[in-house]
Amino acid sequence: QVQLVESGGGLVQPGGSLRLSCAASGSIFVTSVMAWYRQTPGEQRELVAAITSGGSTNYADSVKGRFTISRDNAKNTVYLQMISLKPEDTAVYYCNMSGMDFLYRYQEFWGQGTLVTVSS
């Protein structure tokens, strides 16, 4: 069973930086996408950034130029480096891993979520 363990959330001032980490254990994916989503109360969960096994990335327009997603395939870990944080970045951030296993069955897993609060 795949487990995603997140870390790095917390309180930061506007304009500050924060780095989120998510380590996946028990992965048997042949190919995978690791991603960060975020959600605020009363709103739908939205994709923030995603990265494939090969390193291709995709970002939400609201975070382009400020957030950088990366992954360490050896450690099976995905990171989200956030700079120039704004109050509107405040949300619960969720790590996601999806892909095809060795039998080419689609699987998807979520982390527990970590709260990022941007406030002065």
Side-chain angles (χ1 to χ4, degrees):
Q1 188 76 269
V2 172
Q3 286 189 315
L4 304 179
V5 181
E6 299 167 321
S7 62
L11 175 65
V12 65
Q13 293 184 336
S17 301
L18 206 61
R19 188 185 189 225
L20 305 182
S21 299
C22 175
S25 62
S27 176
I28 57 171
F29 289 165
V30 176
T31 61
S32 68
V33 174
M34 299 189 77
W36 290 96
Y37 290 74
R38 68 185 181 186
Q39 186 172 27
T40 57
E43 296 189 355
Q44 191 171 347
R45 190 173 300 182
E46 66 172 352
L47 176 67
V48 176
I51 185 168
T52 68
S53 300
S56 298
T57 59
N58 190 32
Y59 297 92
D61 289 340
S62 59
V63 306
K64 286 181 179 178
R66 299 188 299 117
F67 291 9
T68 302
I69 189 170
S70 61
R71 66 188 292 170
D72 185 334
N73 289 329
K75 297 180 179 180
N76 212 15
T77 300
V78 64
Y79 306 92
L80 186 67
Q81 180 67 54
M82 304 181 291
I83 65 171
S84 302
L85 283 162
K86 306 174 181 179
E88 49 263 44
D89 293 319
T90 296
V92 177
Y93 284 71
Y94 297 90
C95 180
N96 173 274
M97 184 177 187
S98 63
M100 308 295 288
D101 66 11
F102 67 101
L103 292 176
Y104 284 86
R105 300 173 298 187
Y106 179 80
Q107 293 184 310
E108 186 174 37
F109 300 91
W110 291 92
Q112 79 285 354
T114 183
L115 177 62
V116 173
T117 302
V118 184
S119 177
S120 59

